[in-house]
Amino acid sequence: MKKPLGELHRDESSFQEVLEESSYSGIVTVGDVTTYKLLREDVVPALAVVDGRVMREEASQEIKDAVEDWSYKKKTVRNPAGHITTDLINAIKEGLDLGEPYLVSVIGEEDLAVLPVALYAPEGYIILYGQPKEGLVSVTVDRDCKDKVKVFLDMMEEI
């Protein structure tokens, strides 16, 4: 996942530009800072996946409070670093199917959640996640995106 799945936006102003320029039917955020920034813009994601950490360090109280304060349904799952557990996949599916804002709070690490989100989110959704020390990545969910993720997940199974 060192290479972004979608388009990398390197500067802070890109965040608002992504929201303004994209035509999407729903937004999913993966990561505490990305979710926080979206909520700060008064945009509520359909699904947010967070782990209470920012670059392997505990997230600031401001970020945690903002994420915890918005109105949503919530599910907590365990997912170790470098893994995609069945519990995480099921929580993502549940959140996407719910039709109202949903938070998946991960005990462990949420970094690879982008992959099942891309696989199960409806076409037309946009996924936003942070690329550490690089910027914001926006991924438009379409057939090509889903095919790339399937190939990547198949490769992971072979390892």
Side-chain angles (χ1 to χ4, degrees):
M1 292 298 294
K2 295 271 186 214
K3 182 179 177 202
L5 183 60
E7 184 178 351
L8 177 62
H9 309 273
R10 294 190 183 275
D11 60 33
E12 185 68 28
S13 64
S14 305
F15 195 85
Q16 189 60 37
E17 289 172 16
V18 168
L19 296 176
E20 291 171 1
E21 294 173 4
S22 299
S23 61
Y24 53 84
S25 54
I27 299 175
V28 176
T29 57
V30 176
D32 295 73
V33 172
T34 304
T35 302
Y36 168 75
K37 286 181 177 182
L38 190 73
L39 293 170
R40 197 175 63 197
E41 297 292 331
D42 293 322
V43 179
V44 177
L47 173 68
V49 185
V50 299
D51 64 5
R53 306 193 70 70
V54 177
M55 292 194 289
R56 310 257 192 274
E57 300 291 326
E58 188 169 344
S60 71
Q61 197 60 49
E62 179 182 358
I63 290 172
K64 286 194 233 177
D65 288 347
V67 171
E68 288 293 325
D69 285 347
W70 63 284
S71 178
Y72 55 83
K73 301 251 185 209
K74 178 180 177 180
K75 183 157 200 161
T76 301
V77 298
R78 292 188 182 279
N79 189 75
H83 290 79
I84 303 170
T85 62
T86 302
D87 286 344
L88 177 60
I89 292 169
N90 288 339
I92 288 168
K93 286 179 178 180
E94 183 178 314
L96 291 167
D97 289 343
L98 190 61
E100 60 184 86
Y102 193 85
L103 177 71
V104 177
S105 179
V106 176
I107 298 170
E109 189 176 276
E110 95 298 69
D111 293 7
L112 293 178
V114 170
L115 298 171
V117 167
L119 194 58
Y120 296 110
E123 290 188 26
Y125 267 52
I126 188 171
I127 305 166
L128 302 174
Y129 70 94
Q131 186 79 12
K133 298 180 182 175
E134 296 284 334
L136 174 75
V137 178
S138 63
V139 181
T140 301
V141 178
D142 58 16
R143 178 59 31 214
D144 184 53
C145 171
K146 290 178 180 290
D147 290 343
K148 283 181 191 174
V149 168
K150 285 178 187 175
V151 167
F152 186 77
L153 289 173
D154 287 344
M155 288 172 35
M156 284 180 60
E157 284 183 7
E158 292 174 11
I159 296 174

